[in-house]
Amino acid sequence: QVQLVESGGGLVQPGGSLRLSCVASGSVLEHHAIGWFRQAPGKEREAVACISSFDGRPWYPDPTQGRFTISRDKGKNTVYLQIDNLKVEDTAVYFCATDGFGGYCAGWSPANWDSWGQGTQVTVSP
């Protein structure tokens, strides 16, 4: 059974940084890409980043963005999301999820992702 546990959220001032963690159970990272998503109040869940299973390559829905960095430590079964220069509009619950594409970052629709963690709250406020 796949289990994902997020942590690292909190209250941060604009311009600050956070590093979120997603700890996966067992050999999840060997077989699944991991995506980070976020959902703000009243808004749909949206993809933020993905890291593929096979080569650890990062993918972003917006390739031009420079504030989000996804990485992983397979030895710790952990995927990280570094968020820099935080903005008020980054306030959301951040989730990690396993892919439904056989280890590839092949789609950004949340409906195509299988297992989800419980989320970690990020609040950006002056």
Side-chain angles (χ1 to χ4, degrees), residues 40-114:
K43 295 189 176 181
E44 294 186 352
R45 192 168 297 189
E46 63 177 357
V48 175
C50 175
I51 190 162
S52 68
S53 172
F54 306 106
D55 57 7
R57 178 177 177 180
W59 297 85
Y60 305 95
D62 177 6
T64 66
Q65 67 82 31
R67 298 190 301 115
F68 297 91
T69 304
I70 189 170
S71 63
R72 71 180 181 182
D73 183 336
K74 294 180 71 175
K76 295 183 178 180
N77 287 338
T78 302
V79 173
Y80 302 100
L81 182 70
Q82 176 75 29
I83 314 175
D84 297 317
N85 190 22
L86 279 155
K87 304 177 180 182
V88 172
E89 51 265 41
D90 293 322
T91 296
V93 179
Y94 285 72
F95 301 88
C96 59
T98 58
D99 74 287
F101 313 108
Y104 296 96
C105 298
W108 297 116
S109 171
N112 294 327
W113 292 74
D114 290 339

Side-chain angles (χ1 to χ4, degrees), residues 28-51:
V28 168
L29 298 191
E30 296 292 334
H31 304 291
H32 294 279
I34 300 295
W36 278 100
F37 295 77
R38 67 182 183 182
Q39 188 165 19
K43 295 189 176 181
E44 294 186 352
R45 192 168 297 189
E46 63 177 357
V48 175
C50 175
I51 190 162

